[in-house]
């Protein structure tokens, strides 16, 4: 009953994502593409944070490494299609390095360590002008074409982003269903027990960082040609916190959490434009309230409702049993 | 007599001035259920964790099937066929009961790389189902382990330790906090596992009926030292044990 329903919902959502650009103007399609790019990035962060439980606050640095890798290589005359896998690879390797502190420290200390990494990466992007263009950034990043098909148009580029996102989502789905998915979850729920059961906690911790970072790298590689211009601003510590919030708001450890969380993170600020200078305040307050009421994110709502229903049914059954006992006693 | 499966020699561990384990030696034979009793704070859990690589002992030697395993990590020990439970409940709360069991053995299958492409159940589905049947937790097999009652979680916790078919399992208070009828059930389960799989168990437990009914031999620890080792009957009859432990 549930699987056909889920399948139908999935197909409907996919159809909507394909059809939607034709009902939107240029800015609408741009926003949609922006969302898809952040879905890719936060899918990776959801693996690191939501599934494997590693509190990483440096994700935007990987996002930036991916974006700059593609931008710099393309400026050097190399193909986007070479830059994309290289961005993923470079981020995978950086992810392993950044994962090492996680073998020693956890939770808030790990958050600080990754934050430090983000700050260092951001300073590098800003100061190493010879490579990154510093605060002037890198301009006129071309959109790629493949086998004579150009992805230059805003709709065409959206479909490219969507296709990459779909492939990465399928890969992640497969990974999470494989034994690795269980090992990541075990690591998050209880690393000491996991190790006593033969789970290589060190290896999986590093992999959780590396794979998550690779996703951010691909997202960054898509991001640079989307904007056609990059500077260090979108890769700051603030951006990492924003990505973390997207994961947490959507539902960490839920497969579709990043889709929802990124939508909230990308679209809500647009809607809150009316609030102007107050928008960050309103957004921040909304996140705080959400965290108080729904610490496991929006996608935990169905499970909560089910649990409440079951609890109510159980207490009704208890009450009925008690009533029967009372009746029998008299 | 057959060679011992586990040999612990003069194990020591202190926390500052507290000599938690002060020179403990014993051996566990193949197929044996070996009980460990002693008052609160007598060093039982510290002894376990030192044997299992969870904490580093100050001194002593530990041998498994004749090989020196002193100082090996919990991971390495598990891969060598040593299973364990902890004194407190340790299940993976957000995973289903079935997944808890699967993850408890999957790392023994293939290489890390091959596991990325392996079937979700790593080919361990039948083994998990057998344990689920034995422990009679089939009705909750698909529920998140964290949503079960304490007693049910305790059963899952114990079952997990057996999933990788270890030669030696160390159980720290398998009956702590469970109701009396479940205590009998757990004893029956361990007896059945010992009979059908032939592994050796070391069981820490405060429940005397449980220990005396289940174990082939029992070791009594007091203040970090071994007071006596013997059959349940010998231990029950030992005056020193009565004075030092059962008496108070
Ligand atoms: N991490 C630690 N730091 C300091 N002291 C400790 C530590 N762990 C244990 N101890 C001390 O070592 C002694 C032995 O503790 P242990 O937990 O091994 O006893 P136990 O026999 O398992 O007791 P129980 O039956 O209550 O579980 C106690 O005095 C305890 O306070
Ligand atoms: Mg103890």
């Amino acid at each position: 009953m549930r699987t056909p329903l889920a399948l139908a919902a999935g197909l409907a959502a996919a159809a909507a994502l394909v059809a939607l650009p034709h009902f939107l103007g240029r800015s609408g399609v741009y926003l949609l593409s922006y969302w898809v790019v952040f879905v890719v990035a936060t899918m990776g962060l959801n693996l690191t944070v939501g599934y494997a439980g590693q509190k990483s606050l440096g994700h935007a640095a990987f996002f930036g490494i991916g974006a700059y890798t593609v931008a710099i290589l393309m400026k050097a005359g190399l193909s986007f299609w070479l830059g994309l896998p290289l961005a993923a690879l470079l981020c995978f390797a950086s992810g392993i390095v950044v994962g090492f502190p996680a073998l020693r420290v956890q939770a808030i200390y790990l958050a600080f360590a990754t934050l430090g990494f983000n700050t260092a990466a951001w300073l590098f992007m800003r100061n190493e002008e010879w490579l990154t263009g510093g605060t002037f950034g890198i301009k006129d990043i071309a959109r790629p074409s493949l086998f004579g098909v150009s992805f230059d148009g805003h709709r065409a580029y959206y479909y490219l982003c969507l296709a990459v996102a779909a492939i990465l989502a399928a890969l992640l789905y497969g990974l999470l269903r494989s034994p690795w998915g269980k090992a990541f979850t075990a690591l998050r729920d209880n690393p000491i027990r996991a190790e006593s059961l033969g789970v290589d906690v060190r290896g999986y911790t590093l992999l959780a960082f590396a794979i998550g970072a690779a996703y951010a790298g691909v997202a960054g590689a898509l991001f640079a040609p989307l904007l056609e211009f990059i500077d260090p601003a979108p890769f700051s510590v603030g951006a990492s916190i924003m990505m973390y919030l997207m994961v947490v708001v959507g539902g960490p450890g839920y497969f579709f959490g990043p889709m929802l969380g990124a939508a909230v993170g990308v679209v809500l600020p647009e809607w809150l434009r009316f609030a102007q200078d107050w928008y960050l305040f309103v957004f921040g307050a909304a996140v705080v309230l959400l965290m108080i009421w729904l610490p496991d994110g929006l996608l935990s709502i169905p499970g909560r409702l089910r649990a409440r229903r079951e609890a109510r049914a159980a207490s009704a059954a208890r009450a009925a049993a008690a009533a029967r006992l009372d009746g029998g006693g008299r | 007599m057959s060679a011992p499966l586990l040999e612990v020699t003069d194990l020591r561990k202190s926390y500052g001035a507290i000599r938690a384990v002060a020179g403990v030696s014993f051996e566990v034979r193949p197929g044996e259920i070996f009980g460990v009793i002693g008052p609160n704070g007598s060093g039982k859990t510290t002894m376990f964790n030192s044997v299992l690589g969870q904490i580093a002992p100050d001194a002593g030697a530990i041998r498994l099937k004749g090989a020196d395993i002193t100082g090996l990590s919990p991971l390495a020990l598990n891969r060598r066929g040593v299973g364990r439970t902890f004194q407190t409940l340790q299940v993976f709360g957000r995973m289903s009961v079935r997944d808890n069991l699967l993850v408890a053995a999957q790392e023994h299958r293939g290489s890390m790389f091959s596991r990325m492409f392996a079937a979700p159940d790593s080919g361990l589905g039948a083994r998990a189902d057998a344990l689920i049947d034995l422990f009679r937790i089939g009705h909750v097999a698909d529920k998140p382990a964290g949503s079960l009652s304490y007693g049910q979680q305790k059963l899952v916790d114990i079952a997990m330790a057996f999933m990788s078919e270890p030669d030696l399992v160390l159980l720290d208070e398998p009956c702590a906090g469970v109701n009396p009828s479940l205590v009998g059930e757990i004893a029956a389960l361990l007896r059945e596992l010992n009979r059908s799989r032939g592994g050796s168990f070391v069981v820490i437990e405060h429940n005397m009926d449980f220990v005396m009914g289940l174990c082939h031999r029992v070791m009594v620890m007091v203040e970090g030292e071994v007071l006596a080792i013997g059959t349940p009957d010998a231990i029950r009859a030992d005056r020193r044990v009565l004075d030092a432990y059962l008496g108070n």
Side-chain angles (χ1 to χ4, degrees):
Chain A
M1 161 70 210
R2 256 185 92 196
T3 325
L5 202 73
L7 196 69
L11 284 176
L17 287 175
V18 171
L20 210 52
H22 297 283
F23 302 98
L24 294 173
R26 184 175 268 280
S27 66
V29 175
Y30 176 80
L31 201 62
L32 208 56
S33 310
Y34 208 91
W35 168 71
V36 171
V37 166
F38 273 85
V39 167
V40 172
T42 49
M43 275 195 303
L45 188 59
N46 191 31
L47 177 72
T48 314
V49 173
Y51 285 96
Q54 306 300 312
K55 305 269 180 286
S56 164
L57 274 182
H59 207 59
F62 301 121
F63 188 48
I65 291 171
Y68 274 103
T69 302
V70 158
I72 292 166
L73 289 181
M74 286 178 81
K75 283 292 159 192
L78 292 168
S79 160
F80 170 83
W81 304 107
L82 184 68
L84 182 83
L86 277 180
L89 217 61
L90 189 60
C91 287
F92 186 90
S94 327
I96 289 182
V97 175
V98 176
F100 269 96
L103 304 178
R104 309 217 126 258
V105 296
Q106 280 285 309
I108 190 81
Y109 305 101
L110 179 58
F112 278 127
T114 52
L115 218 108
F117 159 71
N118 201 147
T119 306
W122 185 81
L123 284 174
F124 184 90
M125 292 170 199
R126 203 193 60 179
N127 295 343
E128 300 305 311
E129 227 166 89
W130 61 275
L131 186 66
T132 65
T135 46
F136 301 109
I138 299 175
K139 290 187 205 45
D140 302 321
I141 303 163
R143 289 185 183 167
S145 59
L146 187 65
F147 304 127
V149 181
S150 164
F151 294 102
D152 194 31
H154 59 289
R155 288 206 178 93
Y157 195 69
Y158 164 76
Y159 286 123
L160 173 65
C161 294
L162 191 63
V164 172
I167 292 168
L168 289 184
L171 285 176
L172 185 64
Y173 189 79
L175 186 77
L176 290 171
R177 271 177 58 85
S178 81
W180 280 31
K182 290 185 200 55
F184 286 134
T185 313
L187 178 67
R188 174 196 67 198
D189 282 0
N190 192 334
I192 291 179
R193 180 75 200 256
E195 199 188 6
S196 83
L197 294 167
V199 176
D200 182 350
V201 167
R202 293 171 61 90
Y204 281 110
T205 300
L206 295 179
L207 279 168
F209 268 96
I211 298 171
Y215 271 62
V218 172
L222 293 171
F223 188 66
L226 173 67
L227 269 63
E228 301 176 287
F229 163 77
I230 52 167
D231 68 359
F235 314 120
S236 65
V237 166
S240 280
I241 292 174
M242 194 66 193
M243 287 179 180
Y244 194 94
L245 287 180
M246 289 178 186
V247 169
V248 169
V249 165
Y254 289 90
F255 186 76
F256 292 104
M259 286 72 169
L260 195 60
V264 173
V266 171
V267 175
L268 211 59
E270 294 293 315
W271 285 350
L272 290 175
R273 281 262 166 89
F274 72 90
Q276 290 172 0
D277 289 349
W278 286 90
Y279 120 74
L280 263 181
F281 177 82
V282 175
F283 184 71
V287 169
V288 169
L289 286 178
L290 190 79
M291 287 303 93
I292 292 171
W293 296 113
L294 279 175
D296 290 327
L298 291 171
L299 285 182
S300 68
I301 291 175
R304 284 184 158 229
L305 291 178
R306 202 176 318 126
R308 187 179 294 178
R309 210 166 44 235
E310 279 171 10
R312 207 178 292 140
S315 69
R318 264 200 307 279
R324 259 200 316 282
L325 279 179
D326 272 2
R330 279 184 199 125
Chain B
M1 184 170 285
S2 52
L5 181 73
L6 177 73
E7 268 179 284
V8 175
T9 315
D10 200 25
L11 192 68
R12 292 169 190 275
K13 176 73 190 178
S14 296
Y15 293 107
I18 300 172
R19 292 163 73 225
V21 176
V24 168
S25 303
F26 63 95
E27 50 185 61
V28 180
R29 300 163 192 157
E32 184 175 35
I33 305 184
F34 187 83
V36 180
I37 61 173
N40 290 118
S42 56
K44 305 180 297 295
T45 297
T46 306
M47 180 274 286
F48 249 38
N49 286 337
S50 306
V51 169
L52 287 158
Q54 205 72 54
I55 54 180
D58 299 335
I62 304 148
R63 302 174 81 79
L64 181 71
K65 296 178 222 163
D68 188 9
I69 57 161
T70 320
L72 287 191
S73 69
L75 176 74
L77 284 173
N78 177 267
R79 296 280 173 88
R80 282 175 177 238
V82 181
R84 77 164 299 185
T85 66
F86 293 78
Q87 183 163 349
T88 53
L89 255 185
Q90 309 273 350
V91 298
F92 304 115
R94 276 173 68 178
M95 290 166 91
S96 73
V97 167
R98 203 159 188 284
D99 282 353
N100 266 273
L101 292 177
L102 292 174
V103 81
Q106 68 177 28
E107 303 297 317
H108 291 246
R109 288 274 165 119
S111 68
M112 191 142 175
F113 189 68
S114 74
R115 283 194 290 277
M116 182 158 64
F117 305 101
D121 73 353
S122 313
L124 293 161
R127 198 191 286 182
D129 289 338
L131 273 176
I132 285 171
D133 281 349
L134 181 64
F135 280 71
R136 288 192 264 160
I137 44 180
H139 55 298
V140 292
D142 295 318
K143 290 198 172 180
S147 73
L148 309 187
S149 73
Y150 180 85
Q152 288 170 325
Q153 289 192 47
K154 201 78 188 174
L155 289 176
V156 175
D157 197 357
I158 297 169
M160 284 163 75
F162 288 93
M163 254 311 277
S164 62
E165 302 188 334
D167 306 320
L168 175 68
V169 184
L170 289 84
L171 302 129
D172 196 347
E173 302 199 17
C175 298
V178 307
N179 67 50
S181 71
L182 192 55
V183 171
E185 211 171 295
I186 291 174
L189 281 169
L190 292 180
R191 213 173 281 125
E192 167 60 20
L193 283 164
N194 179 251
R195 191 189 60 74
S196 62
R197 303 188 175 199
S200 303
F201 310 159
V202 183
V203 187
I204 297 178
E205 194 35 73
H206 285 292
N207 187 317
M208 280 308 143
D209 294 339
F210 177 88
V211 173
M212 297 302 179
L214 176 70
C215 299
H216 302 125
R217 288 190 305 150
V218 176
M219 172 167 87
V220 186
M221 283 182 69
V222 174
E223 291 175 5
E225 294 177 7
V226 177
L227 185 70
I229 299 179
T231 62
D233 287 339
I235 294 295
R236 268 205 215 94
D238 195 319
R239 264 244 71 87
R240 292 170 307 156
V241 176
L242 288 175
D243 290 346
Y245 181 52
L246 300 178
N248 59 34

